[in-house]
Amino acid sequence: MSTDTAGTAADGTAADPTVEELRTQTRLLAGELPGTLRRITLRAGSISVDVEWETAPAAQSPAQAPAAPAAVTAHAPAPASATQQSDGTPDGLVRVTAPLVGTYYQAPAPGAEPFVKVGDTVEAGQQLAVIEAMKLLNSITAEVKGTVHAIHAVDGEVVEYAQPLIDLRPAG
């Protein structure tokens, strides 16, 4: 985050008091919350803040912590298979992720046929789903020609930024 505490924007112009307040509140929020901060995005037009942390296991509060070491029975996550990419996507697949936070829809209207189903062949640029955010429908499209291998998101459910939606097996 490239901000200046003296009230000037990165380009040297005077910052709007609302934007400066947004910067200050974002710094306070980032400092108070646990975890490693990955990204902060500030937008001045109709003010918004996007904050993203590194993925890490949720810390337990003292009230949730096991009473004795013998009670620790949680299974450790399996090590990544040699056939998986670093993001957890199986080799040979292209993962389509949510470009924004919103409500995921598999069909253009309630009760309509979904845009795609597992096993469907898709073309690059073909619409796979929509995400509704702030009453705007954002089209989710295929980046490659291929076959729908898996659909991870549930119709009508809120999805987070970068959440896996669909896996495609590229053609060829």
Side-chain angles (χ1 to χ4, degrees):
M1 177 170 76
S2 62
T3 60
D4 179 26
T5 57
T8 58
D11 64 0
T13 60
D16 182 322
T18 307
V19 173
E20 191 58 38
E21 178 64 22
L22 182 62
R23 288 178 182 157
T24 303
Q25 292 300 321
T26 303
R27 281 192 191 115
L28 290 172
L29 175 68
E32 291 174 1
L33 296 174
T36 303
L37 194 58
R38 181 175 178 194
R39 176 179 61 90
I40 295 178
T41 304
L42 302 175
R43 292 183 187 95
S46 70
I47 301 175
S48 77
V49 177
D50 297 327
V51 182
E52 184 178 330
W53 281 265
E54 293 291 329
T55 304
Q60 289 184 333
S61 69
Q64 296 172 328
V72 178
T73 58
H75 298 285
S81 166
T83 62
Q84 287 190 348
Q85 299 169 20
S86 63
D87 67 355
T89 306
D91 276 347
L93 297 181
V94 174
R95 178 155 288 167
V96 179
T97 60
L100 70 163
V101 175
T103 305
Y104 173 85
Y105 294 108
Q106 294 178 343
E113 281 292 313
F115 291 106
V116 294
K117 297 180 284 248
V118 173
D120 285 356
T121 301
V122 298
E123 296 293 325
Q126 180 178 335
Q127 186 168 7
L128 304 174
V130 294
I131 295 180
E132 178 186 4
M134 297 173 40
K135 303 294 182 193
L136 295 174
L137 295 177
N138 298 276
S139 181
I140 307 303
T141 58
E143 297 174 9
V144 297
K145 178 180 178 178
T147 305
V148 177
H149 178 76
I151 299 175
H152 302 287
V154 177
D155 191 47
E157 198 171 85
V158 174
V159 294
E160 298 294 325
Y161 174 78
Q163 178 178 332
L165 301 176
I166 298 172
D167 286 343
L168 301 175
R169 182 169 308 282

